[in-house]
PDB file of all heavy atoms in Angstrom:
ATOM      1  N   PHE A 310      -6.694 -25.955   9.332  1.00 95.00           N
ATOM      2  CA  PHE A 310      -5.607 -26.919   9.353  1.00 95.00           C
ATOM      3  C   PHE A 310      -4.274 -26.150   9.384  1.00 95.00           C
ATOM      4  O   PHE A 310      -4.151 -24.991   8.989  1.00 95.00           O
ATOM      5  CB  PHE A 310      -5.652 -27.937   8.185  1.00 95.00           C
ATOM      6  CG  PHE A 310      -5.377 -27.368   6.852  1.00 95.00           C
ATOM      7  CD1 PHE A 310      -4.096 -27.416   6.281  1.00 95.00           C
ATOM      8  CD2 PHE A 310      -6.398 -26.747   6.084  1.00 95.00           C
ATOM      9  CE1 PHE A 310      -3.826 -26.847   5.051  1.00 95.00           C
ATOM     10  CE2 PHE A 310      -6.125 -26.217   4.831  1.00 95.00           C
ATOM     11  CZ  PHE A 310      -4.857 -26.285   4.279  1.00 95.00           C
ATOM     12  N   THR A 311      -3.202 -26.855   9.815  1.00 94.00           N
ATOM     13  CA  THR A 311      -1.876 -26.244   9.858  1.00 94.00           C
ATOM     14  C   THR A 311      -0.881 -27.287   9.393  1.00 94.00           C
ATOM     15  O   THR A 311      -1.227 -28.475   9.160  1.00 94.00           O
ATOM     16  CB  THR A 311      -1.523 -25.832  11.333  1.00 94.00           C
ATOM     17  OG1 THR A 311      -1.464 -27.044  12.136  1.00 94.00           O
ATOM     18  CG2 THR A 311      -2.540 -24.867  11.904  1.00 94.00           C
ATOM     19  N   ARG A 312       0.380 -26.875   9.168  1.00 91.00           N
ATOM     20  CA  ARG A 312       1.500 -27.779   8.931  1.00 91.00           C
ATOM     21  C   ARG A 312       1.343 -28.647   7.675  1.00 91.00           C
ATOM     22  O   ARG A 312       1.936 -29.680   7.550  1.00 91.00           O
ATOM     23  CB  ARG A 312       1.778 -28.681  10.127  1.00 91.00           C
ATOM     24  CG  ARG A 312       2.160 -27.938  11.376  1.00 91.00           C
ATOM     25  CD  ARG A 312       2.045 -28.787  12.628  1.00 91.00           C
ATOM     26  NE  ARG A 312       0.606 -29.149  12.824  1.00 91.00           N
ATOM     27  CZ  ARG A 312       0.178 -29.958  13.760  1.00 91.00           C
ATOM     28  NH1 ARG A 312       1.022 -30.477  14.601  1.00 91.00           N
ATOM     29  NH2 ARG A 312      -1.111 -30.225  13.891  1.00 91.00           N
ATOM     30  N   GLU A 313       0.532 -28.153   6.742  1.00 90.00           N
ATOM     31  CA  GLU A 313       0.308 -28.895   5.470  1.00 90.00           C
ATOM     32  C   GLU A 313       0.390 -27.920   4.300  1.00 90.00           C
ATOM     33  O   GLU A 313       0.000 -26.775   4.395  1.00 90.00           O
ATOM     34  CB  GLU A 313      -1.011 -29.616   5.440  1.00 90.00           C
ATOM     35  CG  GLU A 313      -1.205 -30.674   6.498  1.00 90.00           C
ATOM     36  CD  GLU A 313      -2.589 -31.313   6.435  1.00 90.00           C
ATOM     37  OE1 GLU A 313      -3.236 -31.324   5.339  1.00 90.00           O
ATOM     38  OE2 GLU A 313      -3.092 -31.709   7.473  1.00 90.00           O
ATOM     39  N   THR A 314       0.889 -28.428   3.201  1.00 85.00           N
ATOM     40  CA  THR A 314       0.804 -27.766   1.855  1.00 85.00           C
ATOM     41  C   THR A 314       1.728 -26.564   1.702  1.00 85.00           C
ATOM     42  O   THR A 314       2.509 -26.444   0.744  1.00 85.00           O
ATOM     43  CB  THR A 314      -0.628 -27.357   1.527  1.00 85.00           C
ATOM     44  OG1 THR A 314      -1.506 -28.476   1.695  1.00 85.00           O
ATOM     45  CG2 THR A 314      -0.716 -26.878   0.054  1.00 85.00           C
ATOM     46  N   PHE A 315       1.626 -25.578   2.617  1.00 87.00           N
ATOM     47  CA  PHE A 315       2.265 -24.286   2.407  1.00 87.00           C
ATOM     48  C   PHE A 315       3.604 -24.235   3.177  1.00 87.00           C
ATOM     49  O   PHE A 315       3.634 -24.061   4.356  1.00 87.00           O
ATOM     50  CB  PHE A 315       1.371 -23.147   2.839  1.00 87.00           C
ATOM     51  CG  PHE A 315       0.055 -23.190   2.135  1.00 87.00           C
ATOM     52  CD1 PHE A 315      -1.079 -23.668   2.753  1.00 87.00           C
ATOM     53  CD2 PHE A 315      -0.053 -22.741   0.819  1.00 87.00           C
ATOM     54  CE1 PHE A 315      -2.290 -23.718   2.036  1.00 87.00           C
ATOM     55  CE2 PHE A 315      -1.267 -22.769   0.098  1.00 87.00           C
ATOM     56  CZ  PHE A 315      -2.365 -23.287   0.762  1.00 87.00           C
ATOM     57  N   ASP A 316       4.691 -24.463   2.425  1.00 86.00           N
ATOM     58  CA  ASP A 316       6.022 -24.592   3.048  1.00 86.00           C
ATOM     59  C   ASP A 316       6.739 -23.241   3.083  1.00 86.00           C
ATOM     60  O   ASP A 316       6.237 -22.251   2.576  1.00 86.00           O
ATOM     61  CB  ASP A 316       6.834 -25.629   2.300  1.00 86.00           C
ATOM     62  CG  ASP A 316       7.061 -25.339   0.837  1.00 86.00           C
ATOM     63  OD1 ASP A 316       7.768 -24.331   0.549  1.00 86.00           O
ATOM     64  OD2 ASP A 316       6.547 -26.002  -0.046  1.00 86.00           O
ATOM     65  N   LEU A 317       7.976 -23.271   3.625  1.00 88.00           N
ATOM     66  CA  LEU A 317       8.820 -22.083   3.783  1.00 88.00           C
ATOM     67  C   LEU A 317      10.137 -22.343   3.133  1.00 88.00           C
ATOM     68  O   LEU A 317      11.172 -22.418   3.785  1.00 88.00           O
ATOM     69  CB  LEU A 317       8.961 -21.697   5.237  1.00 88.00           C
ATOM     70  CG  LEU A 317       7.790 -21.084   5.919  1.00 88.00           C
ATOM     71  CD1 LEU A 317       8.095 -20.834   7.384  1.00 88.00           C
ATOM     72  CD2 LEU A 317       7.370 -19.757   5.254  1.00 88.00           C
ATOM     73  N   PHE A 318      10.131 -22.517   1.759  1.00 90.00           N
ATOM     74  CA  PHE A 318      11.378 -22.786   1.126  1.00 90.00           C
ATOM     75  C   PHE A 318      11.755 -21.796   0.024  1.00 90.00           C
ATOM     76  O   PHE A 318      12.750 -21.080   0.123  1.00 90.00           O
ATOM     77  CB  PHE A 318      11.350 -24.238   0.533  1.00 90.00           C
ATOM     78  CG  PHE A 318      12.657 -24.727  -0.013  1.00 90.00           C
ATOM     79  CD1 PHE A 318      13.711 -25.055   0.856  1.00 90.00           C
ATOM     80  CD2 PHE A 318      12.899 -24.830  -1.351  1.00 90.00           C
ATOM     81  CE1 PHE A 318      14.939 -25.448   0.348  1.00 90.00           C
ATOM     82  CE2 PHE A 318      14.116 -25.277  -1.908  1.00 90.00           C
ATOM     83  CZ  PHE A 318      15.152 -25.567  -0.985  1.00 90.00           C
ATOM     84  N   TYR A 319      10.968 -21.746  -1.015  1.00 91.00           N
ATOM     85  CA  TYR A 319      11.229 -20.811  -2.157  1.00 91.00           C
ATOM     86  C   TYR A 319      11.229 -19.391  -1.613  1.00 91.00           C
ATOM     87  O   TYR A 319      10.317 -18.965  -0.908  1.00 91.00           O
ATOM     88  CB  TYR A 319      10.139 -21.041  -3.195  1.00 91.00           C
ATOM     89  CG  TYR A 319      10.117 -20.054  -4.315  1.00 91.00           C
ATOM     90  CD1 TYR A 319      11.204 -19.940  -5.228  1.00 91.00           C
ATOM     91  CD2 TYR A 319       9.015 -19.206  -4.572  1.00 91.00           C
ATOM     92  CE1 TYR A 319      11.186 -19.056  -6.295  1.00 91.00           C
ATOM     93  CE2 TYR A 319       9.015 -18.328  -5.624  1.00 91.00           C
ATOM     94  CZ  TYR A 319      10.081 -18.263  -6.490  1.00 91.00           C
ATOM     95  OH  TYR A 319      10.060 -17.352  -7.517  1.00 91.00           O
ATOM     96  N   PRO A 320      12.221 -18.591  -1.970  1.00 93.00           N
ATOM     97  CA  PRO A 320      12.417 -17.288  -1.223  1.00 93.00           C
ATOM     98  C   PRO A 320      11.583 -16.129  -1.694  1.00 93.00           C
ATOM     99  O   PRO A 320      11.709 -15.042  -1.181  1.00 93.00           O
ATOM    100  CB  PRO A 320      13.916 -16.999  -1.474  1.00 93.00           C
ATOM    101  CG  PRO A 320      14.178 -17.556  -2.820  1.00 93.00           C
ATOM    102  CD  PRO A 320      13.343 -18.839  -2.831  1.00 93.00           C
ATOM    103  N   SER A 321      10.699 -16.350  -2.682  1.00 94.00           N
ATOM    104  CA  SER A 321      10.042 -15.216  -3.288  1.00 94.00           C
ATOM    105  C   SER A 321       8.555 -15.133  -3.010  1.00 94.00           C
ATOM    106  O   SER A 321       7.782 -14.532  -3.726  1.00 94.00           O
ATOM    107  CB  SER A 321      10.246 -15.212  -4.807  1.00 94.00           C
ATOM    108  OG  SER A 321      10.057 -13.913  -5.324  1.00 94.00           O
ATOM    109  N   TYR A 322       8.131 -15.740  -1.891  1.00 95.00           N
ATOM    110  CA  TYR A 322       6.744 -15.657  -1.422  1.00 95.00           C
ATOM    111  C   TYR A 322       6.589 -14.504  -0.405  1.00 95.00           C
ATOM    112  O   TYR A 322       7.550 -14.020   0.216  1.00 95.00           O
ATOM    113  CB  TYR A 322       6.303 -16.948  -0.771  1.00 95.00           C
ATOM    114  CG  TYR A 322       6.018 -18.049  -1.681  1.00 95.00           C
ATOM    115  CD1 TYR A 322       6.575 -19.347  -1.436  1.00 95.00           C
ATOM    116  CD2 TYR A 322       5.207 -17.931  -2.807  1.00 95.00           C
ATOM    117  CE1 TYR A 322       6.339 -20.428  -2.239  1.00 95.00           C
ATOM    118  CE2 TYR A 322       4.945 -19.020  -3.618  1.00 95.00           C
ATOM    119  CZ  TYR A 322       5.506 -20.216  -3.353  1.00 95.00           C
ATOM    120  OH  TYR A 322       5.264 -21.298  -4.200  1.00 95.00           O
ATOM    121  N   GLY A 323       5.301 -14.186  -0.107  1.00 95.00           N
ATOM    122  CA  GLY A 323       4.997 -13.236   0.888  1.00 95.00           C
ATOM    123  C   GLY A 323       5.193 -13.700   2.302  1.00 95.00           C
ATOM    124  O   GLY A 323       5.041 -12.922   3.295  1.00 95.00           O
ATOM    125  N   ASP A 324       5.551 -14.986   2.499  1.00 95.00           N
ATOM    126  CA  ASP A 324       5.953 -15.481   3.817  1.00 95.00           C
ATOM    127  C   ASP A 324       7.489 -15.674   3.934  1.00 95.00           C
ATOM    128  O   ASP A 324       8.096 -15.287   4.905  1.00 95.00           O
ATOM    129  CB  ASP A 324       5.186 -16.702   4.208  1.00 95.00           C
ATOM    130  CG  ASP A 324       5.226 -17.823   3.197  1.00 95.00           C
ATOM    131  OD1 ASP A 324       6.013 -17.738   2.268  1.00 95.00           O
ATOM    132  OD2 ASP A 324       4.463 -18.790   3.343  1.00 95.00           O
ATOM    133  N   THR A 325       8.086 -16.210   2.858  1.00 96.00           N
ATOM    134  CA  THR A 325       9.538 -16.538   2.940  1.00 96.00           C
ATOM    135  C   THR A 325      10.390 -15.279   2.795  1.00 96.00           C
ATOM    136  O   THR A 325      11.362 -15.143   3.533  1.00 96.00           O
ATOM    137  CB  THR A 325       9.927 -17.577   1.876  1.00 96.00           C
ATOM    138  OG1 THR A 325       9.375 -17.128   0.601  1.00 96.00           O
ATOM    139  CG2 THR A 325       9.358 -18.924   2.181  1.00 96.00           C
ATOM    140  N   TYR A 326      10.094 -14.431   1.858  1.00 97.00           N
ATOM    141  CA  TYR A 326      10.907 -13.188   1.733  1.00 97.00           C
ATOM    142  C   TYR A 326      10.959 -12.410   2.998  1.00 97.00           C
ATOM    143  O   TYR A 326      12.076 -12.025   3.488  1.00 97.00           O
ATOM    144  CB  TYR A 326      10.430 -12.369   0.523  1.00 97.00           C
ATOM    145  CG  TYR A 326      11.297 -11.102   0.284  1.00 97.00           C
ATOM    146  CD1 TYR A 326      12.459 -11.199  -0.486  1.00 97.00           C
ATOM    147  CD2 TYR A 326      10.940  -9.895   0.855  1.00 97.00           C
ATOM    148  CE1 TYR A 326      13.260 -10.056  -0.678  1.00 97.00           C
ATOM    149  CE2 TYR A 326      11.720  -8.775   0.684  1.00 97.00           C
ATOM    150  CZ  TYR A 326      12.909  -8.864  -0.066  1.00 97.00           C
ATOM    151  OH  TYR A 326      13.650  -7.743  -0.304  1.00 97.00           O
ATOM    152  N   PRO A 327       9.837 -12.074   3.660  1.00 97.00           N
ATOM    153  CA  PRO A 327       9.962 -11.430   4.928  1.00 97.00           C
ATOM    154  C   PRO A 327      10.679 -12.256   5.987  1.00 97.00           C
ATOM    155  O   PRO A 327      11.454 -11.653   6.794  1.00 97.00           O
ATOM    156  CB  PRO A 327       8.450 -11.257   5.354  1.00 97.00           C
ATOM    157  CG  PRO A 327       7.716 -11.184   4.036  1.00 97.00           C
ATOM    158  CD  PRO A 327       8.445 -12.164   3.206  1.00 97.00           C
ATOM    159  N   THR A 328      10.566 -13.580   5.932  1.00 97.00           N
ATOM    160  CA  THR A 328      11.270 -14.413   6.907  1.00 97.00           C
ATOM    161  C   THR A 328      12.791 -14.220   6.741  1.00 97.00           C
ATOM    162  O   THR A 328      13.519 -14.108   7.711  1.00 97.00           O
ATOM    163  CB  THR A 328      10.922 -15.880   6.678  1.00 97.00           C
ATOM    164  OG1 THR A 328       9.498 -16.072   7.014  1.00 97.00           O
ATOM    165  CG2 THR A 328      11.730 -16.796   7.591  1.00 97.00           C
ATOM    166  N   PHE A 329      13.282 -14.240   5.509  1.00 97.00           N
ATOM    167  CA  PHE A 329      14.690 -14.053   5.277  1.00 97.00           C
ATOM    168  C   PHE A 329      15.160 -12.619   5.505  1.00 97.00           C
ATOM    169  O   PHE A 329      16.343 -12.353   5.397  1.00 97.00           O
ATOM    170  CB  PHE A 329      15.067 -14.544   3.861  1.00 97.00           C
ATOM    171  CG  PHE A 329      14.743 -15.975   3.609  1.00 97.00           C
ATOM    172  CD1 PHE A 329      14.119 -16.388   2.442  1.00 97.00           C
ATOM    173  CD2 PHE A 329      14.997 -16.936   4.614  1.00 97.00           C
ATOM    174  CE1 PHE A 329      13.843 -17.726   2.191  1.00 97.00           C
ATOM    175  CE2 PHE A 329      14.695 -18.283   4.390  1.00 97.00           C
ATOM    176  CZ  PHE A 329      14.116 -18.696   3.216  1.00 97.00           C
ATOM    177  N   ASN A 330      14.219 -11.754   5.781  1.00 98.00           N
ATOM    178  CA  ASN A 330      14.533 -10.375   6.198  1.00 98.00           C
ATOM    179  C   ASN A 330      14.198 -10.150   7.650  1.00 98.00           C
ATOM    180  O   ASN A 330      13.893  -8.981   8.034  1.00 98.00           O
ATOM    181  CB  ASN A 330      13.810  -9.405   5.285  1.00 98.00           C
ATOM    182  CG  ASN A 330      14.471  -9.203   3.974  1.00 98.00           C
ATOM    183  OD1 ASN A 330      15.393  -8.420   3.849  1.00 98.00           O
ATOM    184  ND2 ASN A 330      14.029  -9.933   2.955  1.00 98.00           N
ATOM    185  N   GLY A 331      14.199 -11.186   8.458  1.00 97.00           N
ATOM    186  CA  GLY A 331      14.104 -11.068   9.899  1.00 97.00           C
ATOM    187  C   GLY A 331      12.736 -11.075  10.523  1.00 97.00           C
ATOM    188  O   GLY A 331      12.590 -11.012  11.733  1.00 97.00           O
ATOM    189  N   ALA A 332      11.689 -11.264   9.705  1.00 98.00           N
ATOM    190  CA  ALA A 332      10.332 -11.238  10.174  1.00 98.00           C
ATOM    191  C   ALA A 332       9.787 -12.638  10.481  1.00 98.00           C
ATOM    192  O   ALA A 332      10.394 -13.621  10.118  1.00 98.00           O
ATOM    193  CB  ALA A 332       9.388 -10.524   9.182  1.00 98.00           C
ATOM    194  N   ILE A 333       8.655 -12.712  11.136  1.00 97.00           N
ATOM    195  CA  ILE A 333       7.857 -13.888  11.194  1.00 97.00           C
ATOM    196  C   ILE A 333       6.915 -13.821  10.020  1.00 97.00           C
ATOM    197  O   ILE A 333       5.899 -13.111  10.083  1.00 97.00           O
ATOM    198  CB  ILE A 333       7.118 -14.042  12.547  1.00 97.00           C
ATOM    199  CG1 ILE A 333       8.038 -13.749  13.713  1.00 97.00           C
ATOM    200  CG2 ILE A 333       6.433 -15.400  12.628  1.00 97.00           C
ATOM    201  CD1 ILE A 333       9.239 -14.661  13.779  1.00 97.00           C
ATOM    202  N   GLY A 334       7.209 -14.493   8.921  1.00 97.00           N
ATOM    203  CA  GLY A 334       6.408 -14.431   7.703  1.00 97.00           C
ATOM    204  C   GLY A 334       5.398 -15.573   7.661  1.00 97.00           C
ATOM    205  O   GLY A 334       5.761 -16.730   7.883  1.00 97.00           O
ATOM    206  N   MET A 335       4.196 -15.221   7.359  1.00 96.00           N
ATOM    207  CA  MET A 335       3.091 -16.261   7.382  1.00 96.00           C
ATOM    208  C   MET A 335       2.141 -16.052   6.207  1.00 96.00           C
ATOM    209  O   MET A 335       1.821 -14.938   5.838  1.00 96.00           O
ATOM    210  CB  MET A 335       2.333 -16.135   8.726  1.00 96.00           C
ATOM    211  CG  MET A 335       3.155 -16.433   9.935  1.00 96.00           C
ATOM    212  SD  MET A 335       2.240 -15.925  11.416  1.00 96.00           S
ATOM    213  CE  MET A 335       2.138 -14.183  11.188  1.00 96.00           C
ATOM    214  N   THR A 336       1.619 -17.171   5.746  1.00 96.00           N
ATOM    215  CA  THR A 336       0.541 -17.198   4.752  1.00 96.00           C
ATOM    216  C   THR A 336      -0.711 -17.618   5.446  1.00 96.00           C
ATOM    217  O   THR A 336      -0.728 -18.588   6.229  1.00 96.00           O
ATOM    218  CB  THR A 336       0.874 -18.217   3.630  1.00 96.00           C
ATOM    219  OG1 THR A 336       1.956 -17.702   2.860  1.00 96.00           O
ATOM    220  CG2 THR A 336      -0.317 -18.460   2.764  1.00 96.00           C
ATOM    221  N   TYR A 337      -1.799 -16.898   5.158  1.00 97.00           N
ATOM    222  CA  TYR A 337      -3.123 -17.338   5.657  1.00 97.00           C
ATOM    223  C   TYR A 337      -3.999 -17.573   4.449  1.00 97.00           C
ATOM    224  O   TYR A 337      -4.078 -16.781   3.511  1.00 97.00           O
ATOM    225  CB  TYR A 337      -3.791 -16.150   6.453  1.00 97.00           C
ATOM    226  CG  TYR A 337      -3.098 -15.837   7.781  1.00 97.00           C
ATOM    227  CD1 TYR A 337      -3.275 -14.614   8.362  1.00 97.00           C
ATOM    228  CD2 TYR A 337      -2.280 -16.769   8.433  1.00 97.00           C
ATOM    229  CE1 TYR A 337      -2.671 -14.283   9.588  1.00 97.00           C
ATOM    230  CE2 TYR A 337      -1.658 -16.476   9.614  1.00 97.00           C
ATOM    231  CZ  TYR A 337      -1.805 -15.244  10.205  1.00 97.00           C
ATOM    232  OH  TYR A 337      -1.205 -14.963  11.393  1.00 97.00           O
ATOM    233  N   GLU A 338      -4.653 -18.753   4.429  1.00 97.00           N
ATOM    234  CA  GLU A 338      -5.428 -19.216   3.306  1.00 97.00           C
ATOM    235  C   GLU A 338      -6.849 -19.516   3.704  1.00 97.00           C
ATOM    236  O   GLU A 338      -7.101 -20.407   4.537  1.00 97.00           O
ATOM    237  CB  GLU A 338      -4.796 -20.454   2.666  1.00 97.00           C
ATOM    238  CG  GLU A 338      -3.427 -20.247   2.041  1.00 97.00           C
ATOM    239  CD  GLU A 338      -3.507 -19.867   0.572  1.00 97.00           C
ATOM    240  OE1 GLU A 338      -4.636 -19.878   0.055  1.00 97.00           O
ATOM    241  OE2 GLU A 338      -2.454 -19.629  -0.013  1.00 97.00           O
ATOM    242  N   GLN A 339      -7.802 -18.820   3.091  1.00 97.00           N
ATOM    243  CA  GLN A 339      -9.186 -19.106   3.291  1.00 97.00           C
ATOM    244  C   GLN A 339      -9.772 -19.863   2.159  1.00 97.00           C
ATOM    245  O   GLN A 339      -9.463 -19.588   1.010  1.00 97.00           O
ATOM    246  CB  GLN A 339      -9.992 -17.753   3.461  1.00 97.00           C
ATOM    247  CG  GLN A 339     -11.481 -17.844   3.298  1.00 97.00           C
ATOM    248  CD  GLN A 339     -12.145 -18.680   4.366  1.00 97.00           C
ATOM    249  OE1 GLN A 339     -11.871 -18.465   5.551  1.00 97.00           O
ATOM    250  NE2 GLN A 339     -12.969 -19.599   3.971  1.00 97.00           N
ATOM    251  N   GLY A 340     -10.576 -20.881   2.404  1.00 97.00           N
ATOM    252  CA  GLY A 340     -11.279 -21.578   1.319  1.00 97.00           C
ATOM    253  C   GLY A 340     -12.151 -20.628   0.588  1.00 97.00           C
ATOM    254  O   GLY A 340     -12.925 -19.857   1.165  1.00 97.00           O
ATOM    255  N   GLY A 341     -12.142 -20.718  -0.748  1.00 97.00           N
ATOM    256  CA  GLY A 341     -12.981 -19.796  -1.535  1.00 97.00           C
ATOM    257  C   GLY A 341     -12.443 -19.497  -2.913  1.00 97.00           C
ATOM    258  O   GLY A 341     -12.708 -20.193  -3.878  1.00 97.00           O
ATOM    259  N   SER A 342     -11.666 -18.453  -3.021  1.00 95.00           N
ATOM    260  CA  SER A 342     -10.998 -17.981  -4.243  1.00 95.00           C
ATOM    261  C   SER A 342     -12.028 -17.488  -5.230  1.00 95.00           C
ATOM    262  O   SER A 342     -13.213 -17.332  -4.953  1.00 95.00           O
ATOM    263  CB  SER A 342     -10.112 -19.108  -4.833  1.00 95.00           C
ATOM    264  OG  SER A 342     -10.865 -20.115  -5.468  1.00 95.00           O
ATOM    265  N   GLY A 343     -11.598 -17.291  -6.481  1.00 95.00           N
ATOM    266  CA  GLY A 343     -12.478 -16.802  -7.533  1.00 95.00           C
ATOM    267  C   GLY A 343     -13.653 -17.701  -7.833  1.00 95.00           C
ATOM    268  O   GLY A 343     -14.629 -17.246  -8.450  1.00 95.00           O
ATOM    269  N   ARG A 344     -13.564 -18.938  -7.438  1.00 96.00           N
ATOM    270  CA  ARG A 344     -14.638 -19.885  -7.751  1.00 96.00           C
ATOM    271  C   ARG A 344     -15.823 -19.665  -6.818  1.00 96.00           C
ATOM    272  O   ARG A 344     -16.972 -19.897  -7.199  1.00 96.00           O
ATOM    273  CB  ARG A 344     -14.076 -21.288  -7.498  1.00 96.00           C
ATOM    274  CG  ARG A 344     -15.019 -22.446  -7.876  1.00 96.00           C
ATOM    275  CD  ARG A 344     -14.888 -22.857  -9.363  1.00 96.00           C
ATOM    276  NE  ARG A 344     -16.087 -23.514  -9.777  1.00 96.00           N
ATOM    277  CZ  ARG A 344     -16.314 -24.835  -9.513  1.00 96.00           C
ATOM    278  NH1 ARG A 344     -15.401 -25.521  -8.812  1.00 96.00           N
ATOM    279  NH2 ARG A 344     -17.384 -25.421  -9.963  1.00 96.00           N
ATOM    280  N   ALA A 345     -15.618 -19.155  -5.623  1.00 97.00           N
ATOM    281  CA  ALA A 345     -16.670 -19.203  -4.593  1.00 97.00           C
ATOM    282  C   ALA A 345     -17.704 -18.120  -4.782  1.00 97.00           C
ATOM    283  O   ALA A 345     -18.865 -18.300  -4.401  1.00 97.00           O
ATOM    284  CB  ALA A 345     -16.057 -19.092  -3.219  1.00 97.00           C
ATOM    285  N   GLY A 346     -17.392 -16.924  -5.306  1.00 97.00           N
ATOM    286  CA  GLY A 346     -18.341 -15.854  -5.454  1.00 97.00           C
ATOM    287  C   GLY A 346     -18.953 -15.440  -4.112  1.00 97.00           C
ATOM    288  O   GLY A 346     -18.239 -15.444  -3.101  1.00 97.00           O
ATOM    289  N   LEU A 347     -20.191 -15.082  -4.161  1.00 97.00           N
ATOM    290  CA  LEU A 347     -20.893 -14.659  -2.886  1.00 97.00           C
ATOM    291  C   LEU A 347     -21.371 -15.871  -2.117  1.00 97.00           C
ATOM    292  O   LEU A 347     -21.515 -15.761  -0.889  1.00 97.00           O
ATOM    293  CB  LEU A 347     -22.046 -13.763  -3.222  1.00 97.00           C
ATOM    294  CG  LEU A 347     -21.766 -12.377  -3.893  1.00 97.00           C
ATOM    295  CD1 LEU A 347     -23.049 -11.620  -4.090  1.00 97.00           C
ATOM    296  CD2 LEU A 347     -20.779 -11.585  -2.982  1.00 97.00           C
TER     297      LEU A 347
END
Side-chain angles (χ1 to χ4, degrees):
F310 69 96
T311 65
R312 298 163 295 177
E313 296 177 29
T314 307
F315 303 102
D316 60 66
L317 287 175
F318 188 72
Y319 173 63
S321 201
Y322 285 132
D324 51 12
T325 48
Y326 181 85
T328 296
F329 300 137
N330 280 276
I333 312 302
M335 297 167 297
T336 290
Y337 293 158
E338 294 269 356
Q339 164 63 48
S342 74
R344 186 86 199 282
L347 296 181

